[in-house]
């Protein structure tokens, strides 16, 4: 092993994989460090395993919708079998990732790293020197700051449950609460969501979220907005979650309480002060090239950088930008135009580009088209009652500024709107495109 590496990467997720591979391909000596199994959040504890579980939920949902339309009989989720199915994907990931590093000539270290100076980190008592260091440590659940916080499980814990408890309470109302409450309810659990804000899924269009909430009601998910959780109490029967909802104290009994209140960059254990890496409100202070403003040896990417939306494609994009700047000097800047976001509820809800409020705040002349369309063929053939859209087109240029979808295939169709936004396509361009019919994409022309 070298005395000094060209690049030491902290983390082993998407950003770490992309940046380390590019640096090694350029002939650099590279080391990666992670105290958790190699693979990162998306592959092991996030989007990939979550959607493996959603596959079982999709089968249940399809049968429920088609009951009385030619499909009979009851289906149920066998939770241990569904979890085993998920592990067919997640189980091999760490070993595959370590082999990939070995095959590329990248040195891999298991352990918790911390800085010992501006160009050095220590792991398992061994100090590694580096010309450059990339922070790609991902994110962690934001501290709740409540009594009994130690009783609250994380989303990581939920994704490893051997059996599903009969009563699950979620603290928070974003992606995790929405997706996991749908899954839990379809698997037979009583799900309660305690959301501090005025509505669920605040990152998505409020009108479309309102349409989606009908599905929460049909599933029996108890959503309580304006709910400030004060403490979690352990009892002989499980847990009691004490909250203040619209000024009144309420208590929710649960067998499992899940943290769904958001995540922050996972930087706490790094001892950034030892490296002279500055923070601003708990986030790294970076310049436009994803470089630390106070220590030019250090770059960051993905959730740890917290520069763009907290999404896996952004982590990969950040890593490409950081690698380009490391290898050839600062010249590349991240471009987050047209990054779609999806919550994998059933049906899914998706968004890309500007919201209606953002477009008006920027003073843009915008044409907004919004409609709920359960009568369209895409929804009718699936017996889906929740289907709608909102699109934003600039009046003068015809450029697509934003698209917001809920319903069948929203998670796929949103990518076409993202493509249009990123590459400056107009509404006329999309309307003039011939899509395969009948597909979800063939509805795009009618949405514009």
């Amino acid at each position: 092993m070298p005395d000094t590496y060209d690049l030491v990467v902290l983390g082993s997720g998407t950003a770490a994989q992309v940046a380390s591979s590019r640096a090694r391909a350029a002939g650099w000596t590279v080391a990666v460090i992670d105290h958790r199994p190699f693979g990162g959040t998306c592959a092991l504890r996030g989007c990939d395993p979550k959607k493996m579980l959603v596959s079982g939920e999709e089968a249940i949902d399809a049968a429920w919708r088609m009951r009385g339309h030619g499909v009979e009989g009851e289906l149920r989720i066998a939770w241990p079998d569904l979890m085993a199915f998920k592990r067919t994907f997640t189980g091999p990931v760490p070993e595959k990732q370590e082999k990939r590093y070995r095959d590329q000539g990248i040195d891999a270290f298991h352990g918790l790293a911390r800085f010992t100076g501006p160009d050095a980190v220590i792991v398992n008592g061994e100090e590694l020197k580096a010309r450059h260091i990339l922070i790609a440590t991902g994110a962690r659940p934001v501290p709740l700051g409540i009594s009994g916080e130690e009783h609250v499980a994380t989303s990581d814990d939920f994704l490893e449950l051997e059996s599903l408890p009969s009563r699950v309470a979620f603290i928070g109302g974003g992606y995790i609460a929405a997706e996991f409450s749908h899954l839990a309810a379809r698997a037979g659990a009583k799900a309660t969501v305690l959301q501090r804000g005025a509505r669920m899924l605040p990152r998505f269009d409020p009108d479309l979220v309102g349409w989606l909430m009908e599905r929460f009601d049909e599933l029996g998910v108890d959503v309580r907005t304006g709910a400030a959780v004060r403490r979690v109490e352990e009892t002989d029967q499980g847990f009691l979650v004490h909250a203040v909802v619209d000024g009144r104290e309420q208590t929710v009994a649960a067998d499992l309480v899940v943290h769904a209140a958001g995540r922050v960059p996972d930087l706490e254990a790094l001892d950034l002060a030892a490296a002279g890496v500055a923070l601003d409100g708990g986030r790294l202070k970076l310049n436009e090239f994803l470089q630390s403003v106070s220590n030019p040896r250090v770059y960051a990417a993905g959730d740890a950088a917290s520069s763009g939306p907290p999404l896996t494609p952004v982590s990969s994009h950040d890593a490409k930008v950081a690698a380009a700047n490391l290898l050839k000097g600062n010249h590349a800047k991240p471009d987050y135009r047209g990054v779609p976001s999806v919550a994998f509820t059933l049906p899914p809800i998706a968004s890309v580009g500007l919201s209606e409020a953002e477009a008006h705040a920027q003073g843009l002349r915008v044409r907004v088209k919004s409609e709920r369309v359960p009568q369209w063929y895409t929804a009718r053939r699936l017996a889906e009652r929740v289907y709608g859209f909102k699109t934003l087109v600039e009046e003068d240029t015809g450029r697509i500024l934003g698209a917001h979808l809920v319903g069948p295939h929203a998670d796929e169709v949103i990518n076409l709107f993202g493509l249009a936004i990123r590459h400056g396509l107009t509404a006329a361009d999309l309307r003039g495109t011939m899509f395969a019919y009948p597909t979800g994409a063939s509805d795009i022309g009618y949405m514009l």
Side-chain angles (χ1 to χ4, degrees), residues 48 109 144 157 184 204 257 279 308 362:
D48 287 336
F109 295 83
L144 295 174
D157 299 325
F204 293 88
V257 183
L279 291 171
Q362 292 182 23

Side-chain angles (χ1 to χ4, degrees), residues 73-394:
E74 296 289 337
L75 292 180
R76 66 178 183 84
I77 289 179
W79 188 269
D81 294 339
L82 183 59
M83 193 63 66
F85 175 60
K86 180 216 73 169
R87 290 184 180 128
T88 63
F89 177 84
T90 58
V93 167
E95 184 177 345
K96 286 182 178 179
Q97 192 57 43
E98 293 200 47
K99 181 179 185 302
R100 181 181 178 216
Y101 287 138
R102 287 195 303 270
D103 291 346
Q104 291 177 315
I106 296 171
D107 293 336
F109 295 83
H110 286 279
L112 190 62
R114 63 177 176 84
F115 283 95
T116 55
D119 61 348
V121 297
I122 190 169
V123 55
N124 298 328
E126 182 176 357
E127 187 174 67
L128 307 182
K129 290 276 191 175
R131 289 199 302 119
H132 296 287
I133 297 171
L134 177 69
I135 300 175
T137 47
R140 61 184 175 87
V142 63
L144 295 174
I146 60 173
S147 175
E149 184 169 359
E150 67 274 13
H151 302 309
V152 179
T154 65
S155 58
D156 297 4
D157 299 325
F158 186 92
L159 289 170
E160 294 295 335
L161 290 173
E162 295 296 340
S163 60
L164 182 67
S166 59
R167 302 170 300 172
V168 185
F170 297 90
I171 301 176
Y175 294 85
I176 291 172
E179 294 168 340
F180 288 1
S181 66
H182 272 215
L183 174 61
R186 286 188 173 91
K190 171 60 180 176
T192 303
V193 176
L194 298 166
Q195 161 68 325
R196 179 183 288 272
R199 64 181 178 89
M200 289 280 292
L201 294 167
R203 291 178 181 267
F204 293 88
D205 183 86
D207 296 330
L208 275 65
V209 172
W211 300 338
L212 180 61
M213 292 311 297
E214 294 179 13
R215 188 53 47 84
F216 283 81
D217 294 339
E218 291 172 347
L219 290 170
V221 177
D222 181 4
V223 177
R224 307 185 190 185
T225 57
V229 174
R230 300 303 191 199
R231 62 189 176 97
V232 177
E233 175 188 357
E234 186 175 23
T235 71
D236 292 339
Q237 289 76 39
F239 302 98
L240 292 176
V241 184
H242 299 270
V244 176
V245 182
D246 294 330
R248 300 177 61 183
E249 292 189 7
Q250 295 185 8
T251 302
V252 175
D255 304 299
L256 177 70
V257 183
V258 180
H259 186 306
R263 297 164 71 83
V264 293
D266 190 6
L267 308 171
E268 192 174 34
L270 297 181
D271 194 1
L272 296 172
V277 175
L279 291 171
D280 182 13
R283 300 177 185 273
L284 294 167
K285 290 186 70 172
L286 305 175
N287 62 21
E288 57 190 341
F289 304 108
L290 300 180
Q291 180 186 41
S292 169
V293 298
S294 57
N295 182 348
R297 295 176 181 268
V298 174
Y299 287 75
D303 289 351
S306 194
S307 179
L311 304 168
T312 297
V314 169
S315 295
S316 177
H317 176 71
D318 279 359
K320 294 171 185 176
V321 170
N325 292 330
L326 285 163
L327 294 171
K328 297 183 179 181
N330 286 347
H331 66 284
K333 302 175 185 179
D335 177 4
Y336 303 124
R337 290 175 302 152
V339 180
S341 180
V342 179
F344 291 99
T345 50
L346 290 181
I349 186 169
S351 175
V352 67
L354 297 179
S355 69
E356 187 175 2
E358 288 169 339
H360 291 314
Q362 292 182 23
L364 298 172
R365 295 183 66 247
V366 59
R367 181 175 74 253
V368 178
K369 185 174 182 180
S370 181
E371 191 175 354
R372 185 170 180 177
V373 287
Q375 74 278 10
W376 285 9
Y377 180 82
T378 296
R380 288 187 62 187
R381 79 168 187 88
L382 298 172
E384 176 59 77
R385 294 189 298 275
V386 178
Y387 188 33
F389 66 91
K390 180 180 289 186
T391 56
L392 290 77
V393 175
E394 191 171 35

